[in-house]
């Protein structure tokens, strides 16, 4: 990403939805303990699991943090420890401990997995909070032809709603900004984030606009959810930094 820089006289701005898929899973699973903790902006579900595994809170982007983050992803989306170990590079023992530890702490997640499986049998489709419907033709076909459901279809079904929500939020914010603020130039949509460039000196103004546009409320299983976002800024996509009280300059 380091090779991508904004046009002359402009600066990159970005916002990333914070732990978006994990928040949606918590709402779907009606995991009230997680939802209560997510209300604290300083709480990180990845660091909490890391502390359970290692006995201390891992710093972001360290191998221990990657293992913890993978444990949340694997636990939420039924990924096995072997696949998790291969995809993250962590030891198999740690991957297994991360997933089992997560399910032990939040048993509601596995109950939600079972409810997803039952919905495949009953309806064969899922609708996200924005009305997007996904029909599981492959899963239903397997049930009709073979009489049972393969784990791969079950895993895929668990992904449908949590992984479809972040792009809907990002896309709605981008489309509104493009219509109402054409001076914000969008460069990239990254599933749960965006990258845009604006004239130097207008980064804070643009970020305030985007922060407000991203405040999109949805209701999931009776829980009203607004996913917070984190701002970053920079003169290279590969070297973005948190946006503080003021916008940085090239000289800095």
């Amino acid at each position: 990403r380091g090779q991508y820089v904004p046009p002359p006289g402009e600066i990159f701005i970005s916002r990333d939805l914070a732990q978006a898929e994990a928040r949606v899973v918590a709402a779907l699973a009606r995991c009230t303990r997680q939802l209560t903790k997510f209300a604290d902006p300083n709480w990180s579900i990845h660091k909490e699991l890391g502390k359970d595994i290692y006995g201390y809170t891992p710093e972001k982007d360290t191998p221990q943090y990657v293992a913890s983050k993978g444990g949340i992803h694997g636990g939420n989306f039924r990924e096995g420890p072997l696949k998790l170990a291969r995809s993250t590079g962590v030891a198999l023992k740690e991957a297994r401990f991360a997933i089992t530890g997560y399910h032990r702490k939040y048993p509601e997640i596995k109950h939600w997995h079972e409810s997803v499986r039952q919905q495949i049998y009953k309806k064969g489709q899922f609708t996200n909070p924005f009305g997007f419907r996904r029909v599981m033709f492959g899963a239903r076909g397997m049930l009709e032809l073979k009489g049972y459901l393969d784990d791969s279809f079950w895993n895929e079904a668990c992904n449908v709603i949590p992984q479809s929500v972040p792009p809907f939020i990002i896309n709605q914010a981008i489309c509104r900004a493009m219509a109402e603020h054409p001076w914000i130039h969008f460069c990239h949509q990254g599933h749960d984030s965006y990258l845009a460039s604006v004239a130097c000196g207008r980064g804070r103004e643009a970020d305030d606009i985007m922060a407000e546009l991203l405040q999109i409320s949805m209701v999931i299983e009776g829980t009203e959810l607004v996913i917070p976002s984190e701002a970053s800024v920079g003169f290279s996509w590969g070297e973005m930094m948190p946006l503080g009280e003021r916008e940085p300059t090239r000289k800095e």
Side-chain angles (χ1 to χ4, degrees):
R1 292 185 174 188
Q3 64 183 311
Y4 294 99
V5 296
E10 297 193 2
I11 188 171
F12 278 145
I13 61 168
S14 178
R15 272 193 174 264
D16 190 328
L17 298 177
Q19 304 171 100
E21 293 176 6
R23 293 174 190 269
V24 174
V25 169
L28 288 167
R30 300 183 182 183
C31 187
T32 55
R33 289 176 300 150
Q34 270 195 30
L35 292 170
T36 300
K37 292 177 180 179
F38 273 127
D40 178 359
N42 297 316
W43 182 73
S44 166
I45 190 172
H46 307 131
K47 290 184 177 180
E48 179 192 69
L49 182 60
K51 187 174 182 180
D52 290 345
I53 298 173
Y54 301 105
Y56 62 90
T57 303
E59 293 296 326
K60 192 171 183 179
D61 297 329
T62 61
Q64 293 78 15
Y65 182 86
V66 172
S68 306
K69 188 174 182 179
I72 303 298
H73 183 87
N76 281 342
F77 301 126
R78 301 190 72 253
E79 187 175 86
L82 181 58
K83 183 177 180 181
L84 175 61
R86 288 172 174 170
S87 63
T88 62
V90 302
L92 177 60
K93 181 180 179 180
E94 290 183 5
R96 184 179 292 112
F97 189 65
I99 294 175
T100 56
Y102 178 62
H103 283 155
R104 189 182 307 113
K105 191 161 193 171
Y106 299 111
E108 299 93 336
I109 304 301
K110 296 197 78 170
H111 296 160
W112 168 65
H113 291 162
E114 180 57 29
S115 72
V116 169
R117 190 172 75 92
Q118 291 302 320
Q119 189 164 344
I120 298 175
Y121 278 87
K122 293 176 182 177
K123 295 183 177 180
Q125 59 183 283
F126 300 87
T127 304
N128 79 3
F130 301 102
F132 172 78
R133 185 177 61 158
R134 171 77 177 275
V135 181
M136 309 296 292
F137 289 108
R140 290 298 305 176
M142 186 172 196
L143 285 172
E144 293 297 328
L145 293 173
K146 297 187 176 181
Y148 66 91
L149 184 67
D150 187 271
D151 272 0
S152 62
F153 287 118
W154 187 4
N155 297 352
E156 181 183 358
C158 290
N159 295 337
V160 170
I161 295 180
Q163 294 191 3
S164 71
V165 165
F168 269 80
I169 295 173
I170 295 295
N171 288 346
Q172 286 187 54
I174 288 177
C175 288
R176 281 195 58 188
M178 290 176 67
E180 300 170 10
H181 308 280
W183 54 276
I184 302 177
H185 309 134
F186 289 93
C187 311
H188 176 75
Q189 195 269 29
H191 181 71
D192 61 355
S193 66
Y194 66 83
L195 182 73
S197 69
V198 296
C200 291
R202 302 193 72 179
R204 168 60 65 185
E205 178 187 359
D207 181 69
D208 287 344
I209 290 170
M210 293 306 299
E212 183 177 351
L213 292 179
L214 286 169
Q215 292 291 301
I216 297 174
S217 176
M218 69 197 94
V219 177
I220 301 176
E221 295 295 334
T223 297
E224 183 176 4
L225 194 63
V226 177
I227 299 176
S229 58
E230 300 170 344
S232 58
V233 64
F235 293 100
S236 162
W237 192 17
E239 297 179 351
M240 301 291 281
M241 66 190 78
L243 177 58
E245 295 183 0
R246 65 183 182 85
E247 178 186 328
T249 65
R250 281 195 179 274
K251 291 183 179 180
E252 295 173 315

